[in-house]
Structure formats: structure tokens, C-alpha cells
Amino acid sequence: MVDTWWQTETGGIMISALAGVSPLKPSFAGLPLPGIQPVLVDAVGDEIKENGVEGYLAIKFPWPGMIRTTYGDHERCRVNYFSTYKNLYFTGDGARRDMEGMYRIIGRVDDVINVSGHRFGTAEIENAINEDINVVESAVVGFPHDIKGQGIYAFVILEHDDHESEEAIKASILKTVTGQIGPIAKPDKIQIVPGLPKTRSGKIMRRILRKVAEGDVSNLGDTTTLLDPTVVDVIVKGAGL
């Protein structure tokens, strides 16, 4: 069993271990496949060449399966994939490269939280929170922080209603995250919620949670299409907004 990284737009697998041939490392997609030239770049598009770093994942040389256009809207294709960084295909993902050159995908750039220069994928923090014995599910978003740039706001669903005090629960969650990732990834705010705003297909509507985390719920958009629209009002009220 191997992990793979690819996109519909890439036309095939780009980064993956070759079972029995290349090294395997838990949580890492691995090395690029033959002919694929991934790079990590910083916010202004400069390539980060050394290993043991993280940045934005791009591809610097064409490959056979790459997207060439979007039907009926070529400009959209150019803008979305080829205009962010000059002469690069931008994947929209953040990634880490270890000392052996193996890649770990952090997540979509819009789902990456930058805490004091450390990038964390929301899924990475959520997985750590979900390891806590009290937690059923969680959703994490970033919010503006005066000191750290971005803070971490966690919305958490608990296993049982008849739990101990919320402060004890939150302390347990913080301890779990510290043990799983490290103290830098500890949420700044934890809100206990009865549910999360999800579409009927189960996708968490993070834009709503970001608004709550930022303290601006003046325009949450259309929530009537959610699986349970009433949960939004409960979350907003619970946040004191």
C-alpha cells in the first residue's frame, strides 16, 4: 500500500512511492515519479532549494498529462494554474520536503494555517484533536492574530453530553495536540459545538467557521442548503456573536 499525490489537472500520479523500489515514510507521499520536477517556493515565488523545508508546491517542467486548457475558457486555465508564479504550474497545495527529499502534502493553501512561520494543514491539527478520547469530530480554521499572524480556532464535537467541565476537556485537547504535533499547534480557542455546518454531501463549510472565528457574522451567505442550517445559529450564539 502506498500514498499518492496527484490532481485531476495533472492527468496522473505525480508523487508516490514505488512499492519495493523507493523508500516509504508514514504521512509522506514520497519522491516524485520519473520525469516529474516538483519545487517548493516561498510567498513571492522564489524556489526553496534545500531540504528540510516547507513551502508552496509547484511543478517547474511540463509533463505529458498536464492540463493545457479549460474547455471554453482558456484564460481561466492560465490564471488559475500558470499565473501565480512565473513559468511554474501552481498546485494550490502546501508541502514539506524532508532531508531525504520526500514530500508530505500539508493541504490546500486556503486550508493551511501559518502560525509564527509554521504552516499547518487544518486536517493535520484536526486529526490530532480527534485523537483525544473525548472528541468525536472537529474542524479547525485560522483567524488573525496580532502576535502569531494567525491563530488556531477549533470547533469540537464531544463524545458525550454528560462530560466533565469544559475547561478540563479543553485542557485535555491541548495536551493531546501537544503530544501529537507540538505546543506550537495548540489551538488558541476551542469552542464546544453540537454539530458542524456541512453540505448534504458531508463537506464542512469552512467559510462559515472562518467568519465565526474572525468575529464577523454579518454576511454568512446562503446557509439554507446545509444539511442542518440550524447548527449555524447555535455556533454563532456559542461564540458570543
Side-chain angles (χ1 to χ4, degrees), residues 1-2 16-25 29-34 102:
M1 180 181 293
V2 298
S16 176
L18 296 174
V21 178
S22 56
L24 297 170
K25 186 175 182 179
L31 300 172
L33 293 184
M102 299 179 69

Side-chain angles (χ1 to χ4, degrees), residues 4-15 33 36 63-66:
T4 63
W5 176 84
W6 59 283
Q7 298 175 323
T8 301
E9 296 87 347
T10 67
I13 297 170
M14 303 286 279
I15 302 174
L33 293 184
I36 306 303
W63 64 99
M66 70 183 291

